[in-house]
Amino acid sequence: MGLRLMELAEGFSCWVTGELEAAFIYAEIFEDGTYDLPALPKAPFVVDVGANIGLYCLWMKRRHPDARILAFEPAPGNAEALHRNLRLHGAADGVTVRQCGLGAEQVARAKLTYYPGMSGNSTLHPEEKVLHRRLMEERLGVAEAAELFTAEEIPVRVERLSSVLREACPQGAIDLLKVDVEGAEAEVLAGIDAADWPRIGALQLEVADLDGRLAEVERLLRGHGYTVDSSPVPRIWEELKFWYVTASRRA
């Protein structure tokens, strides 16, 4: 599957890899207000881990045109769509894209399972997609699910977030860290050095509550001094147990 230009809403088109998924992500970000937070500074510094095709970046630049965004996206097809969408919407200024994943340790060559038909589900942990595929087979049919779950294995580089920040933002506040990485959330957080945690004002994460992972993430964030709020992800099948976690230093 190649990139296609799709109108997601009246007057809003984007380059997409999978049409159904792009429409879903657009709805949760632009219509549902999923990522709404209390006011950020006029020109916030935002780290977007798992930037996909760039819809979150575009939403953030609409709200804060002067925002500086450091975006991470390891899949080549997604990264190309991200660059195209930033240019299409005149939002590339202040956005730096790094084509790599993030984790607890630097890895020169990790294996990303990439799903061209639903690229936002691409993952370093394909074993966690077994339930998702079964549910899609039950609801959409075996043939449709097989098409959406057609996968490619892509070698990707994995960095530690704090290692990148030493170069990209050695000082100053990181106003917001957004993480949506399909099963690698705890690994991304493990790549943050103790010295960097006080610089991070707020976090937004999507977490699948498998094997007590939600409680583990909440415990970690509270241990670093955040107020934490978690709620089920709307529009997602309940069996998948996806939660949005918001953490803030505001009382």
Side-chain angles (χ1 to χ4, degrees):
M1 295 184 182
L3 298 181
R4 298 176 299 285
L5 190 61
M6 176 185 178
E7 187 174 54
L8 296 175
E10 186 175 354
F12 188 96
S13 296
C14 274
W15 292 95
V16 307
T17 53
E19 295 182 3
L20 287 175
E21 182 183 64
F24 175 88
I25 296 173
Y26 176 87
E28 69 172 350
I29 294 176
F30 285 85
E31 296 175 358
D32 295 348
T34 297
Y35 287 100
D36 283 352
L37 267 181
L40 292 171
K42 181 176 182 297
F45 182 77
V46 177
V47 177
D48 181 0
V49 185
N52 193 240
I53 63 172
L55 292 175
Y56 180 87
C57 288
L58 294 177
W59 174 80
M60 182 59 67
K61 291 294 278 187
R62 273 193 170 189
R63 289 170 62 106
H64 297 279
D66 297 325
R68 293 180 298 127
I69 302 176
L70 176 60
F72 294 87
E73 175 50 53
N78 291 351
E80 174 61 24
L82 170 56
H83 282 292
R84 288 194 192 188
N85 287 329
L86 290 172
R87 293 193 298 267
L88 178 65
H89 289 271
D93 186 43
V95 181
T96 301
V97 178
R98 293 186 70 110
Q99 193 178 315
C100 68
L102 290 179
E105 301 293 340
Q106 182 176 344
V107 179
R109 191 180 176 90
K111 184 170 67 177
L112 177 75
T113 299
Y114 176 67
Y115 305 105
M118 48 175 196
S119 61
N121 280 270
S122 301
T123 179
L124 294 169
H125 298 281
E127 69 280 359
E128 296 192 1
K129 295 299 176 180
V130 173
L131 174 60
H132 195 169
R133 178 165 184 164
R134 179 172 63 78
L135 292 172
M136 292 190 77
E137 288 175 346
E138 293 173 358
R139 288 162 171 79
L140 303 179
V142 173
E144 177 95 10
E147 182 177 354
L148 290 173
F149 274 93
T150 298
E152 305 170 11
E153 292 184 352
I154 299 175
V156 297
R157 189 177 78 259
V158 175
E159 304 281 356
R160 297 181 69 253
L161 179 54
S162 280
S163 298
V164 178
L165 290 175
R166 279 197 290 272
E167 170 194 337
C169 183
Q171 298 180 13
I174 299 151
D175 296 294
L176 178 61
L177 169 61
K178 170 257 184 184
V179 181
D180 185 356
V181 288
E182 303 302 316
E185 299 81 22
E187 295 159 49
V188 171
L189 299 179
I192 302 174
D193 292 339
D196 284 325
W197 277 105
R199 300 204 287 148
I200 302 173
L203 299 92
Q204 296 172 318
L205 306 96
E206 184 178 289
V207 178
D209 190 18
L210 303 174
D211 302 321
R213 187 178 303 157
L214 176 64
E216 177 187 346
V217 169
E218 291 175 330
R219 204 161 37 241
L220 172 69
L221 295 174
R222 290 191 178 104
H224 283 289
Y226 296 95
T227 298
V228 179
D229 180 67
S230 301
S231 59
V233 176
R235 300 176 183 256
I236 291 281
W237 297 319
E238 184 178 348
E239 299 95 322
L240 292 175
K241 300 181 180 180
F242 277 102
W243 290 72
Y244 282 120
V245 179
T246 301
S248 174
R249 295 196 183 279
R250 301 178 181 88

